[in-house]
Amino acid sequence: NAGVTQTPKFQVLKTGQSMTLQCAQDMNHEYMSWYRQDPGMGLRLIHYSVGAGITDQGEVPNGYNVSRSTTEDFPLRLLSAAPSQTSVYFCASSRYMGNIQYFGAGTRLSVL
Amino acid sequence: EDQVTQSPEALRLQEGESSSLNCSYTVSGLRGLFWYRQDPGKGPEFLFTLYSAGEEKEKERLKATLTKKESFLHITAPKPEDSATYLCAVQINNNDMRFGAGTRLTVKP
C-alpha cells in the first residue's frame, strides 16, 4: 500500500518556467489537497478537491492551477514560476474533509 | 480572522523530562483539532483528533487535551525518538484547515 506518492522530490526552476507537481493516492480517498510549507509558517492550503471533477481554492491559490480527472490523481500546475513560490509542497488525501489526512513525502521546489 | 498559534517555537528537553506543547486558536467555529508529527524531510503523520472541549486522547507517551480556546500536547518521560516537529491544525469550516507553525522538539539522551 503506497499511500500518497509525490513526484518529483526535488525541482529547480527558472523564473517564468512552468511545471506540474504530481500527486497520486491509492486509498480511494475522495478528498485531496495541496499545501505549501515555508519556514516559520504553518502549512497553507493552496487548492483542494472533494472528488473527481470538483476543485476549489484554498488560502493561497494565486499562481497555481489544479484539476482532478480521476479519484487517484491531483496534479498541481505552476503556470509561470516566481521566486516567491520557492517552498516545500505537500499533497494530502483523506476519506473526506475533516477526516485524518495522509501526506506525501513532499516536493522541494526552488525557483531562481 | 481565523488563527492558530503554537508555542513554544522550539523546546529542548532531557530524556525523561516531561513537558507540554500549546496550540491556541481563534476560529469562528471549531469542527475539529488535529495533532500531527513531522520528521525532517518527511510529510506530517497523524497523531490525534479532538472534537469537543474536555476531550482527551492518549498514545504511548503523548496525551492531547482540548479546551474551548486551546489544546495541549503533553509528553511524559520523552525519549530521543520523540524528537520531531509537532503540528496543530484546526478545521474551520467544511473545506478549510488551518495549521500552526509547529513546535520543534528536541529530546537529548
Side-chain angles (χ1 to χ4, degrees):
Chain A
N1 194 346
V4 179
T5 303
Q6 290 185 239
T7 56
K9 294 189 186 305
F10 303 94
Q11 184 71 48
V12 179
L13 293 177
K14 294 182 179 179
T15 297
Q17 286 185 315
S18 62
M19 79 158 296
T20 299
L21 280 63
Q22 301 291 344
C23 175
Q25 53 93 6
D26 62 359
M27 296 173 283
N28 201 31
H29 285 168
E30 290 298 319
Y31 184 88
M32 295 186 74
S33 55
W34 277 101
Y35 293 89
R36 60 177 290 172
Q37 187 174 39
D38 301 294
M41 304 183 74
L43 288 158
R44 290 183 292 167
L45 184 64
I46 304 171
H47 285 285
Y48 64 90
S49 169
V50 297
I54 306 170
T55 64
D56 208 344
Q57 297 180 352
E59 186 183 0
V60 288
N62 293 340
Y64 307 95
N65 273 359
V66 292
S67 61
R68 183 103 177 263
S69 57
T70 67
T71 298
E72 295 77 21
D73 300 300
F74 191 43
L76 178 72
R77 298 184 189 83
L78 281 70
L79 304 176
S80 178
S84 61
Q85 294 178 305
T86 294
S87 187
V88 181
Y89 291 84
F90 288 100
C91 178
S93 75
S94 61
R95 289 179 61 194
Y96 49 84
M97 181 51 178
N99 200 243
I100 299 166
Q101 291 194 82
Y102 296 85
F103 286 83
T107 294
R108 188 174 296 274
L109 176 68
S110 293
V111 183
L112 306 178
Chain B
E1 182 184 345
D2 299 311
Q3 203 162 5
V4 180
T5 304
Q6 290 189 246
S7 61
E9 289 185 14
L11 181 63
R12 297 171 68 91
L13 299 174
Q14 287 296 128
E15 184 172 2
E17 180 186 2
S18 301
S19 187
S20 296
L21 313 182
N22 177 263
C23 172
S24 63
Y25 57 91
T26 53
V27 298
S28 51
L30 178 70
R31 292 176 177 267
L33 186 141
F34 298 77
W35 282 99
Y36 288 86
R37 169 190 171 129
Q38 186 175 23
D39 293 300
K42 296 188 176 181
E45 185 177 322
F46 171 78
L47 291 173
F48 302 108
T49 309
L50 303 165
Y51 291 104
S52 57
E55 191 174 358
E56 299 182 352
K57 294 274 181 73
E58 278 189 76
K59 179 181 179 182
E60 296 180 355
R61 295 177 293 281
L62 300 177
K63 179 180 177 180
T65 62
L66 181 65
T67 72
K68 288 186 178 180
K69 293 185 177 181
E70 58 191 349
S71 176
F72 291 94
L73 185 65
H74 306 279
I75 303 177
T76 302
K79 298 182 177 182
E81 53 261 43
D82 294 322
S83 297
T85 296
Y86 291 85
L87 303 173
C88 167
V90 173
Q91 184 186 357
I92 60 174
N93 57 40
N94 279 340
N95 292 311
D96 200 357
M97 189 81 77
R98 295 292 169 93
F99 279 80
T103 293
R104 188 172 65 255
L105 175 67
T106 304
V107 182
K108 293 285 194 179

